[in-house]
Amino acid sequence: EPEVTQTPSHQVTQMGQEVILRCVPISNHLYFYWYRQILGQKVEFLVSFYNNEISEKSEIFDDQFSVERPDGSNFTLKIRSTKLEDSAMYFCASRAGGTIYFGEGSWLTVV
Amino acid sequence: AQTVTQSQPEMSVQEAETVTLSCTYDTSENNYYLFWYKQPPSRQMILVIRQEAYKQQNATENRFSVNFQKAAKSFSLKISDSQLGDTAMYFCAFGRQGGSEKLVFGKGTKLTVNP
């Protein structure tokens, strides 16, 4: 069964450093998403991406965040200058029809 | 804006028994989807079951079924013949049909299945 894949599974970074999280969505899906889950909290929407542009973003997705689809398969989330409060699990997801499928997540620890 | 409420932070059930997890939501939309996702300790988000709001028939997937009450805006998950592997966080989620169809999640219910 096709699945969303994410790399890295876990990354530790120094505060102020740039981080890029990578995702390969399911190949025939057209909508892509990033969600965030701070430890012990609910999953929160960050951004959706369709037709090579952002279709919707949350208030969390400020100027420190950006997304890109550099080629036909990868979908990336960049955090320019990480803060301690960016420590979280970041989930990539893609959608076909009405169902969103999640990757296994990238656990980001900012120290 | 849509909101999703899961009023049971934690629940436990004996192996082989049945448990029901509650979820209510608030929306002015008429066309939408509802989901239950399972998050085991590995923290992966696994789709358990999906319900389209226009369908009156409740969705079922093997041991998992839902009780969808559109007028009451209620969407509960019933797990029959609970297994130890069902131990996980369960998140209820709402997705508006059309547009980005982002998901809005509840805070989750931690389910423990006891042997």
Side-chain angles (χ1 to χ4, degrees):
Chain A
E1 184 175 321
E3 56 184 25
V4 178
T5 58
Q6 291 185 240
T7 54
S9 57
H10 189 191
Q11 182 163 353
V12 181
T13 190
Q14 295 279 339
M15 189 170 55
Q17 294 295 306
E18 176 182 284
V19 164
I20 297 177
L21 305 179
R22 292 181 168 81
C23 169
V24 179
I26 297 173
S27 62
N28 62 342
H29 289 190
L30 299 178
Y31 283 88
F32 313 122
Y33 306 85
W34 285 99
Y35 288 80
R36 178 182 83 175
Q37 185 183 32
I38 295 172
L39 187 63
Q41 298 187 21
K42 67 178 178 179
V43 179
E44 300 173 292
F45 168 76
L46 290 178
V47 65
S48 59
F49 192 86
Y50 172 73
N51 201 25
N52 286 319
E53 61 182 21
I54 290 174
S55 57
E56 187 174 353
K57 60 183 180 179
S58 73
E59 58 188 25
I60 302 169
F61 194 88
D62 60 22
D63 291 342
Q64 294 295 318
F65 292 91
S66 62
V67 289
E68 193 175 48
R69 193 145 193 251
D71 54 40
S73 59
N74 290 286
F75 178 52
T76 62
L77 173 69
K78 181 191 290 185
I79 309 174
R80 287 189 182 82
S81 178
T82 50
K83 306 169 190 171
L84 295 176
E85 55 264 37
D86 293 328
S87 293
M89 180 74 94
Y90 289 81
F91 290 103
C92 176
S94 66
R95 174 170 71 86
T99 300
I100 296 178
Y101 296 90
F102 287 81
E104 294 189 353
S106 293
W107 178 235
L108 176 65
T109 303
V110 183
V111 297
Chain B
Q2 291 82 21
T3 59
V4 177
T5 302
Q6 292 180 249
S7 59
Q8 304 151 316
E10 293 190 40
M11 291 192 73
S12 63
V13 63
Q14 291 299 119
E15 195 175 6
E17 294 188 348
T18 296
V19 64
T20 298
L21 308 183
S22 301
C23 173
T24 59
Y25 58 95
D26 187 25
T27 184
S28 57
E29 302 286 338
N30 194 45
N31 298 317
Y32 51 88
Y33 303 97
L34 294 162
F35 304 87
W36 280 96
Y37 284 89
K38 171 184 177 182
Q39 188 178 46
S42 66
R43 300 196 70 187
Q44 184 178 2
M45 293 290 287
I46 301 167
L47 177 66
V48 175
I49 199 163
R50 159 189 143 156
Q51 174 80 42
E52 290 100 330
Y54 70 87
K55 289 187 176 179
Q56 292 185 333
Q57 186 173 7
N58 289 322
T60 62
E61 285 288 343
N62 301 314
R63 296 182 296 108
F64 299 88
S65 62
V66 298
N67 182 4
F68 173 49
Q69 301 290 329
K70 190 173 183 179
K73 296 179 182 174
S74 170
F75 183 62
S76 61
L77 174 71
K78 185 171 83 171
I79 306 173
S80 303
D81 186 24
S82 298
Q83 301 175 0
L84 296 178
D86 295 334
T87 293
M89 283 290 289
Y90 286 82
F91 291 96
C92 178
F94 172 99
R96 182 175 63 90
Q97 191 173 356
S100 73
E101 297 193 13
K102 68 179 184 184
L103 294 180
V104 176
F105 285 85
K107 291 185 176 181
T109 295
K110 183 178 179 181
L111 176 67
T112 301
V113 180
N114 298 308

